[in-house]
Amino acid sequence: MIREALLDLRAQAAQRCGIFRLMALVPPMLAHLAVTGAASVAALVVVASVALGWSFLFVELRRRGPLWSGLVPALLLVLLAPPEAALWQLALALSLALVMGELIFGGAGFGFLSTGALALAFLTFSFPGLALGAPGPAVLWAALPGGGLLLLSGLAPWRVVLAGGAGFAGFAAMFWSLSPGLIGPMLYALVFLAADPFGAPVTAPGHWIFGLLAGGLTAVLCDPVLPGLDVGAVVFAVVLAGIFAPLIDAGVIAGDALRARLRHG
């Protein structure tokens, strides 16, 4: 009974967090639709239907779980996917990410990877000819209020964003010259992909380590020849760093326990 109650509370918290993240993505989504037109509308309808369909199926099977949180990776997929991506490719990438990265573990809040980053990674890994596109100025400006709200509310860990920016700038300076035009897209990717509350570590020191790892890996994986930010590099860096998120938290907790024993021993 206690375990079931705790699982329900966690699912409810994840549902509320997903709703706030969804609200933060609505303005940039509207700006994206205004710029791109009918093609993005069709993509949005398809991925939203896929996300809700899979979420509803697993909620019915388990009789609990977040229903709307699957729309967050769906919107991120539409915002960053290339316009030449076919609708079935978007649907397949999102299905793989939702089922394998989130729903089989119990839904949002129970996995350990950023589902949005995972969906984008599946898209580019499965279809190498597709290159993710960085958000344009209209999308970045529209995302500013929601991103700021997520940071202020703690739904996007600010330490991850700050450490990610520092890691990216520090490592990128070793390989190629930085451009001011990279700041906006990089912050967007850090807030909505790297600072995923369900994909990043939960400990404060873990946030710093995870952010440095994600930012440093982005700089290493980036193609300096591209005129803008290599979003594909950010996505794979976030996924790779996310694999180590549980280990980072475990290391931080073990270190705290060791210091406590030494202090009282």
Side-chain angles (χ1 to χ4, degrees):
M1 291 292 293
I2 296 177
R3 181 177 181 275
E4 290 296 322
L6 290 175
L7 289 175
D8 287 337
L9 287 174
R10 189 171 184 177
Q12 292 172 16
Q15 179 81 325
R16 288 193 293 270
C17 180
I19 290 174
F20 278 107
R21 296 187 72 220
L22 184 60
M23 291 170 58
L25 284 169
V26 168
M29 188 73 248
L30 293 176
H32 180 73
L33 293 176
V35 172
T36 57
S40 293
V41 173
L44 178 61
V45 172
V46 169
V47 297
S49 301
V50 169
L52 291 175
W54 281 116
S55 299
F56 181 78
L57 175 62
F58 276 82
V59 166
E60 285 297 307
L61 291 174
R62 290 194 173 95
R63 298 298 175 185
R64 70 166 185 273
L67 180 61
W68 304 102
S69 58
L71 291 175
V72 174
L75 294 189
L76 288 170
L77 186 61
V78 176
L79 284 165
L80 296 174
E84 62 269 19
L87 297 180
W88 69 270
Q89 293 173 327
L90 298 177
L92 177 61
L94 182 61
S95 296
L96 291 173
L98 282 176
V99 175
M100 298 177 61
E102 181 176 294
L103 294 174
I104 61 173
F105 296 107
F110 295 90
F112 63 95
L113 290 173
S114 167
T115 315
L118 194 59
L120 291 163
F122 273 129
L123 181 67
T124 55
F125 182 78
S126 303
F127 310 102
L130 299 178
L132 302 178
V139 173
L140 293 177
W141 282 110
L144 188 60
L149 181 62
L150 292 179
L151 290 171
L152 292 174
S153 64
L155 295 179
W158 63 268
R159 296 178 185 87
V160 171
V161 177
L162 186 59
F168 174 73
F171 278 88
M174 300 179 185
F175 303 106
W176 36 282
S177 59
L178 290 173
S179 168
L182 298 177
I183 297 176
M186 188 62 189
L187 284 176
Y188 178 92
L190 287 173
V191 171
F192 290 105
L193 294 177
D196 187 326
F198 308 132
V202 297
T203 58
H207 289 164
W208 292 108
I209 299 171
F210 176 84
L212 287 171
L213 182 60
L217 284 172
T218 298
V220 171
L221 296 174
C222 262
D223 185 357
V225 178
L226 294 179
L229 179 67
D230 187 351
V231 179
V234 184
V235 165
F236 282 107
V238 170
V239 173
L240 288 173
I243 294 173
F244 293 97
L247 182 61
I248 292 172
D249 274 335
V252 170
I253 295 171
D256 289 341
L258 178 60
R259 284 192 296 272
R261 285 198 300 269
L262 292 176
R263 191 182 306 116
H264 298 290

